[in-house]
Amino acid sequence: YNPIDDLINIKSTSQLKQVDVYNILGKKVGSKKCEGNEFDFQTAGILQGIYLVQVFDKSGTLTTKKIFKR
């Protein structure tokens, strides 16, 4: 797990398109469209726990990571 506080910093070698955050039960708790190779996702309104972060790039590639919100 990647522990975080109030910010998820996403860096990529390809152009980013969208970031979705899901709680462990599968409910979407956040979604943002993004541009460029780097994006900061604010998590201040999200409760402590385990989440899945899905990152889509412009070519349609999906990357999923688990995070732990402190």
Side-chain angles (χ1 to χ4, degrees):
Y1 297 105
N2 297 319
I4 61 159
D5 288 313
D6 290 331
L7 183 71
I8 301 171
N9 182 271
I10 300 165
K11 295 179 184 179
S12 175
T13 56
S14 54
Q15 293 290 313
L16 299 172
K17 180 179 178 183
Q18 184 168 325
V19 176
D20 296 331
V21 179
Y22 295 87
N23 66 18
I24 200 68
L25 300 175
K27 180 180 178 187
K28 187 184 286 189
V29 295
S31 181
K32 296 282 183 181
K33 295 195 183 292
C34 48
E35 296 284 332
N37 294 12
E38 190 171 338
F39 183 73
D40 291 333
F41 190 93
Q42 296 291 329
T43 62
I46 297 175
L47 299 175
Q48 180 178 345
I50 299 171
Y51 294 87
L52 299 176
V53 178
Q54 292 186 335
V55 180
F56 297 88
D57 68 13
K58 294 280 183 183
S59 67
T61 301
L62 167 65
T63 303
T64 303
K65 297 286 183 181
K66 290 180 190 174
I67 60 165
F68 176 72
K69 168 80 162 111
R70 300 185 236 206

